[in-house]
Amino acid sequence: MAEQTFGRRTAAIWAAAVFIGIAFAVTGVVAWMYGERVRQLESSTAVVAGQARTHLSAWIDARLAIVETLAIRWPDAYAAEPAAFRRDAERLLERLPGLLAVNWVDAGGTIRRVVPEEANPGVLGSDLYAHPEPDVARALAEAAQTGDATRTRTLELLQGGAGFAIYWPVHGPEGALAGFVNGVVRARELIDTSRLAAELGSDYRLELRDVDGAVTWSNAADAASPWPLVSERRVAIPGGLDLQLSLAPTPLAIARATAKPQFAVLLVSGWLLGALLGWLIWRRVLDQERIRGSERRLREMLNLLPHPVYVKDAGGRFTFVNHALAQACGLAPDDLIGATAAALPGPAAERDEFAAADARVISGGEPVPAGQEWFTDAAGARRLVEITRVPFRDPLRGQRGVIGIGVDVTARHEAEALGARIASALDQAGEAITLLDIEGRIVFANPAFIDMMDFRGRDVRGLTMAAFAVPGSNDDELITSIASTLKRGEPWRERYRSTWSDGVDRVRDATVTAVRDESGRLTGYVGVLRDVTREQQLEDELRQSQKLEAVGQLAGGIAHDFNNLLTVILGYASTLRETVPADSPAAAAAGEIEQASERAASLTAKLLTFSRRRTAEAASADLNAAVRNLAPMVERIIGENISVEVALDEAVGTVSGDAGEFEQIILNLCVNARDAQKDGGELKLWTALRDADTAPADVRPPLGPGSYGVLGVTDCGVGMSAALQERVFEPFFTTKQAGAGTGLGLSMVYGIAEQRGGGVHVESAPGQGTTFTVWLPVTEPAVAEAALQTAAVTPAAAGGGTILVAEDEAGIRELMTHTLQRAGYHVVSATDGVDAMRCAAGLDRVDLLVTDVVMPRMGGLELRDRLARCVPGLPVLFVSGYAPMESGAENLQAGDELLAKPFRPGALLKKVAELLH
């Protein structure tokens, strides 16, 4: 194989040598013959150039010498007779054509005589020192300074055309400068009159240039430069600046002289002969050379690849390594040629596995699918490379080997791992996340989005942005808002509410933002949704609580002031009834006043319950017993067209609250149920024992842990919308006609449940009836207190003790003072805490302090604390219309008692007796 390759190369060399030899021989002969012709033409051109220079110099010298005679004769012949200068100049121009003008210039540079004047309009009187060509002024100044003739360089003449001027200085008898004789030569007339162009122009290119290279005249100005076979001669000009004459044969003249077509035919014939012989030999090795060329191009292409490529022979030695692999190894490609895998960087185990994989492909002769392998580069960085190995046979040598092509997939591997982590994070995110393309179609949605939008079991990919709208809801404005905001290039953020098919309103915070790549190009959108229904409910409950608090403060304040009035009315009515005969009209009137006061006190108690400012005394009662007792009354109240079903859970026992509160709850709920069923229906009054964990999420207020007795009232009436359910417990809110309800019933139910540590819940939908449930914590049975004794307490013995009374309401203060004095106590009254401190300072002893909780200047608690410093262990009886948290009345100490307004005189005397005895 090597000899065959050598023979092919030898044949190719001989073929090239035959062609080159014949071509060189023919070319040499033709070149010598052509050179001889060119040298002959060059010699003849030089002879013609010399003759042309001589002719032109003689022509110019003859004319300028005559002009110089005018300058010589001036002081003698023309100074006295200037007209003689004109006559001589005109004769000179007639006899010696070729001069454009002869002028007389005064010493200041102004043209005073112009010959011929009619051929040079506008020249007379021109200031040559102001000539647009600065070289004119230079030549004048130089002639004046040196006293010799001076020529200008080639310039644009005032008469038009290119030429030059010569100035001969003229001096007077005493040597002073008198002026200049100026000869103006235009190159065109000079050449035309000399007939140099006419005689040589058909065969030669002529050009006259100045010393600075400016072209004075040329018959081949558009010809390419430089001219072939050019011959140059200097043409001497008076005035110190010579001209350069260039003369060269025209291309046509060269072609005629050298006979190029004949030489070309001879040259081409010789080359064709050499080419024919060379081709006959060359075609034998064309295929081999083509293969080698393909191999070179393949190597060049492989070196341009950014991926590592190598070729190994059967011995596992590298026969080719591209630049990418060599660079990764930190070596030059030539350093790896002939080496094995041992020359690679990295651990030995890694290199051995690499070599073994190549050996398996070489021995098996089958390609191996791409596999990923770790490769440690020269910098010590571990790269994951996907390598494809293919068996290879050298087409020239026939040797077996392997080609390996690797692709660095480290970045892709890391990106895939990162993408997997991101996808996992998105799948596990609590917020609903979706990706959309630039057309607004979903390309990805995490499980939270699918669950939130109720798309379980559906493929959401390809859905439009309308997926943000709830099916069946009217969210067209929502989609329009999203589209218009994104079109402006702004992110869309909004909290919106949708009504689902089950009638439940759900509130969500949504954000849709544009996604752009590194170049800022829009690639899609990302949407994030978060269900904030519970948060919205809490916010609504907070606002509801704030409204209840505001109205409650108003109601509580009214009830407090009204209780003060009722205390006076009830106290004096009780006193009046005790002081008159029992069968007298006055006693009957006093009894009626007491009953009316009791009813008014019940109303204020309701107001205090509603305002959450009633001092709730610990109480417990059997809930089922209360329902049984009230069931007959409920049947009478709701009418005959509504059937009543009572279902009691016997597991329900004692709960927090008293029978009166249960009565208010049951009656208010049942009356509302009756009003919701105008055309009749069914009402179910039921109880159940439940744990707080089973309570609905929207029980108001939230429940604490523990067991609860649940009182429920269910009707099949008109039901309520979600908006109405949000407001049913607001004070003074009612859906009934004017005069048909106060709007306080459900608010009182809410207040009782809240004060007892429970909560309320409403479940309803339009046309599907309503269920109200009241959750009250289960308690142990309590021992019932003895009924309040309304009869007068037996007065204590006179001098039974000194009592200090502090009350800012005058009527109550006088009532308490009068009642206690009748009972035999020594009473000192004060209008507030400050007045009480002043009164106490004048007393020898104080056995009991009776004080209001809230008073101007100083309240009852502060008064108690100050008196305790002077009278340790002093018992205190607080009286209050309500017990607001800010008053501190809940902070009673040992020896303190609380009496709620309104109270009867007997209740006051009972409390006082308990504290003093």
Side-chain angles (χ1 to χ4, degrees):
M1 180 63 70
E3 293 178 356
Q4 184 180 4
T5 302
F6 177 76
R8 291 174 181 175
R9 290 180 178 175
T10 303
I13 292 173
W14 275 106
V18 169
F19 170 74
I20 293 173
I22 294 175
F24 267 108
V26 173
T27 302
V29 172
V30 172
W32 178 80
M33 295 174 64
Y34 180 78
E36 286 298 313
R37 293 287 184 94
V38 170
R39 282 191 291 274
Q40 292 175 7
L41 181 59
E42 187 176 12
S43 298
S44 63
T45 300
V47 172
V48 173
Q51 294 173 351
R53 187 269 311 273
T54 302
H55 174 75
L56 188 59
S57 296
W59 190 264
I60 294 173
D61 289 345
R63 281 151 181 78
L64 296 183
I66 298 301
V67 176
E68 187 177 7
T69 61
L70 296 178
I72 296 173
R73 294 183 57 189
W74 180 268
D76 301 328
Y78 304 134
E81 188 181 359
F85 174 80
R86 182 182 297 277
R87 289 193 304 271
D88 291 347
E90 288 175 349
R91 292 192 194 103
L92 173 62
L93 293 175
E94 290 175 359
R95 294 176 183 176
L96 299 173
L99 289 176
L100 179 62
V102 177
N103 306 322
W104 167 250
V105 182
D106 64 15
T110 303
I111 299 176
R112 298 302 182 184
R113 298 285 187 275
V114 177
V115 181
E117 185 174 347
E118 63 278 2
N120 298 276
V123 175
L124 189 63
S126 299
D127 184 2
L128 295 181
Y129 280 108
H131 195 281
E133 291 287 349
D135 198 57
V136 173
R138 178 200 62 79
L140 275 175
E142 186 175 334
Q145 183 178 3
T146 62
D148 296 328
T150 305
R151 180 178 76 85
T152 66
R153 291 184 175 88
T154 300
L155 48 80
E156 189 69 23
L157 300 175
L158 295 175
Q159 295 85 350
F164 55 86
I166 301 178
Y167 300 96
W168 286 269
V170 178
H171 295 85
E174 297 181 358
L177 181 65
F180 306 88
V181 173
N182 171 213
V184 181
V185 179
R186 186 156 50 192
R188 185 179 67 247
E189 282 82 356
L190 178 64
I191 299 300
D192 289 346
T193 55
S194 67
R195 298 192 59 81
L196 190 63
E199 295 177 0
L200 301 177
S202 60
D203 294 326
Y204 292 96
R205 294 171 174 170
L206 295 173
E207 188 172 82
L208 199 61
R209 296 192 305 274
D210 212 328
V211 292
D212 58 357
V215 177
T216 305
W217 178 87
S218 176
N219 69 347
D222 56 345
S225 181
W227 296 347
L229 304 178
V230 65
S231 180
E232 296 183 344
R233 299 290 185 272
R234 294 179 64 87
V235 180
I237 301 295
L241 299 175
D242 295 340
L243 293 176
Q244 186 80 20
L245 175 65
S246 297
L247 185 141
T250 63
L252 182 60
I254 294 174
R256 288 198 306 268
T258 57
K260 283 184 177 180
Q262 295 85 345
F263 292 135
V265 171
L266 180 61
L267 183 63
V268 170
S269 299
W271 285 0
L272 288 176
L273 177 61
L276 178 60
L277 294 176
W279 177 79
L280 292 175
I281 299 173
W282 179 254
R283 63 179 298 181
R284 295 176 58 87
V285 296
L286 183 60
D287 292 339
Q288 290 80 1
E289 194 61 34
R290 185 175 299 151
I291 293 175
R292 293 189 181 92
S294 298
E295 182 181 355
R296 287 194 300 271
R297 288 192 297 273
L298 178 61
R299 289 174 178 268
E300 292 172 357
M301 292 173 58
L302 294 179
N303 278 325
L304 294 176
L305 290 177
H307 310 300
V309 179
Y310 65 89
V311 179
K312 279 186 176 182
D313 59 17
R317 294 178 293 273
F318 290 106
T319 60
F320 170 77
V321 174
N322 75 337
H323 292 316
L325 179 56
Q327 184 177 9
C329 295
L331 300 171
D334 292 342
D335 295 337
L336 287 171
I337 301 301
T340 63
L344 298 177
E350 185 180 285
R351 298 196 302 266
D352 294 343
E353 178 59 30
F354 179 77
D358 290 336
R360 286 193 294 270
V361 175
I362 295 173
S363 61
E366 295 293 333
V368 177
Q372 293 182 349
E373 302 176 16
W374 286 103
F375 174 78
T376 304
D377 61 18
R382 285 177 58 79
R383 315 296 296 177
L384 186 63
V385 182
E386 190 172 80
I387 301 179
T388 301
R389 293 179 171 87
V390 180
F392 168 74
R393 184 177 292 275
D394 191 324
L396 295 178
R397 302 175 181 86
Q399 296 178 353
R400 298 176 62 180
V402 61
I403 296 177
I405 302 174
V407 178
D408 190 335
V409 295
T410 308
R412 186 181 72 189
H413 175 73
E414 294 174 350
E416 290 174 352
L418 177 60
R421 290 195 296 271
I422 293 175
S424 177
L426 292 177
D427 286 342
Q428 300 178 47
E431 285 76 14
I433 301 173
T434 179
L435 300 179
L436 304 97
D437 59 18
I438 58 177
E439 301 296 332
R441 294 185 296 268
I442 293 178
V443 297
F444 167 80
N446 70 340
F449 179 85
I450 294 174
D451 291 342
M452 180 181 292
M453 303 308 296
D454 199 19
F455 286 137
R456 286 179 292 274
R458 291 181 55 187
D459 186 1
V460 300
R461 289 174 298 180
L463 295 180
T464 64
M465 203 176 295
F468 285 89
V470 174
S473 65
N474 185 18
D475 285 341
D476 295 340
E477 295 183 0
L478 175 72
I479 305 305
T480 303
S481 173
I482 295 175
S484 60
T485 302
L486 295 177
K487 188 175 181 180
R488 295 194 303 269
E490 302 172 359
W492 180 84
R493 297 183 180 90
E494 193 168 320
R495 174 173 290 187
Y496 69 96
R497 182 189 300 269
S498 297
T499 302
W500 287 64
S501 58
D502 57 2
V504 177
D505 280 357
R506 291 183 174 87
V507 184
R508 292 185 173 88
D509 279 343
T511 301
V512 183
T513 309
V515 178
R516 301 182 183 277
D517 59 16
E518 296 179 354
S519 63
R521 182 176 61 89
L522 179 67
T523 59
Y525 306 92
V526 58
V528 180
L529 287 83
R530 188 166 63 91
D531 194 318
V532 293
T533 305
R534 182 56 182 162
E535 295 178 16
Q536 187 67 45
Q537 289 174 348
L538 294 176
E539 292 178 6
D540 294 342
E541 290 175 3
L542 176 60
R543 286 193 293 269
Q544 177 75 4
S545 175
Q546 291 172 341
K547 288 191 290 186
L548 288 174
E549 183 69 20
V551 178
Q553 288 180 352
L554 173 63
I558 294 173
H560 175 267
D561 293 342
F562 196 39
N563 274 339
N564 286 337
L565 297 176
L566 289 177
T567 300
V568 177
I569 296 172
L570 186 60
Y572 281 110
S574 178
T575 301
L576 177 62
R577 184 176 55 79
E578 294 172 1
T579 57
V580 298
D583 56 352
S584 66
E592 291 295 332
I593 293 173
E594 285 185 286
Q595 292 179 10
S597 298
E598 292 288 355
R599 290 194 296 272
S602 175
L603 176 60
T604 58
K606 292 180 179 180
L607 284 175
L608 289 173
T609 300
F610 149 71
S611 66
R612 325 298 196 257
R613 295 182 178 275
R614 180 181 179 185
T615 303
E617 298 180 357
S620 60
D622 189 329
L623 181 59
N624 285 342
V627 175
R628 291 191 187 96
N629 294 336
L630 286 173
M633 181 185 298
V634 170
E635 293 180 353
R636 292 194 301 271
I637 291 175
I638 65 173
E640 298 179 353
N641 61 340
I642 298 176
S643 62
V644 178
E645 177 187 355
V646 178
L648 303 179
D649 185 352
E650 295 303 329
V652 178
T654 305
V655 298
S656 179
D658 58 34
E661 291 172 339
F662 296 163
E663 177 183 348
Q664 292 184 50
I665 293 173
I666 295 171
L667 291 180
N668 277 306
L669 294 180
C670 290
V671 168
N672 283 343
R674 178 198 65 187
D675 294 341
Q677 304 177 97
K678 296 293 185 182
D679 299 329
E682 298 178 355
L683 183 149
K684 183 177 181 181
L685 183 61
W686 53 276
T687 61
L689 181 64
R690 304 272 177 83
D691 192 76
D693 296 339
T694 65
D698 52 348
V699 171
R700 292 180 284 177
L703 302 177
S707 298
Y708 288 82
V710 180
L711 172 64
V713 176
T714 302
D715 65 61
C716 55
V718 295
M720 291 182 291
S721 66
L724 287 178
Q725 295 177 47
E726 292 293 329
R727 302 189 61 190
V728 290
F729 298 109
E730 292 184 13
F732 307 113
F733 176 77
T734 179
T735 59
K736 301 175 183 178
Q737 297 179 355
T742 63
L744 292 176
L746 292 178
S747 179
M748 292 175 61
V749 172
Y750 184 95
I752 293 172
E754 182 186 35
Q755 286 188 335
R756 291 303 179 184
V760 295
H761 179 255
V762 57
E763 181 178 353
S764 182
Q768 299 182 19
T770 303
T771 296
F772 281 97
T773 54
V774 181
W775 297 62
L776 297 170
V778 174
T779 62
E780 295 295 331
V783 179
E785 296 184 3
L788 180 64
Q789 299 296 325
T790 58
V793 178
T794 303
T802 300
I803 300 176
L804 177 60
V805 175
E807 171 62 59
D808 59 315
E809 286 290 335
I812 298 177
R813 184 173 63 249
E814 292 174 1
L815 173 64
M816 289 192 297
T817 301
H818 176 71
T819 300
L820 293 173
Q821 286 176 343
R822 287 183 59 239
Y825 295 105
H826 177 228
V827 181
V828 178
S829 62
T831 58
D832 55 28
V834 175
D835 190 27
M837 289 296 297
R838 180 186 57 78
C839 293
L843 296 175
D844 295 333
R845 56 178 293 181
V846 178
D847 299 303
L848 176 66
L849 171 64
V850 179
T851 178
D852 196 356
V853 177
V854 180
M855 294 183 294
R857 298 202 293 177
M858 184 188 296
L861 292 175
E862 185 179 356
L863 174 61
R864 175 200 63 186
D865 294 340
R866 291 196 178 189
L867 285 177
R869 301 170 189 166
C870 303
V871 186
L874 176 67
V876 181
L877 174 62
F878 289 101
V879 293
S880 177
Y882 65 95
M885 297 300 294
E886 61 270 17
S887 71
E890 72 279 6
N891 297 323
L892 299 182
Q893 299 176 354
D896 296 343
E897 289 288 342
L898 177 65
L899 180 63
K901 300 176 183 177
F903 54 81
R904 294 172 179 269
L908 172 63
L909 294 175
K910 179 177 180 296
K911 286 287 186 181
V912 169
E914 291 175 353
L915 289 171
L916 291 178
H917 298 89

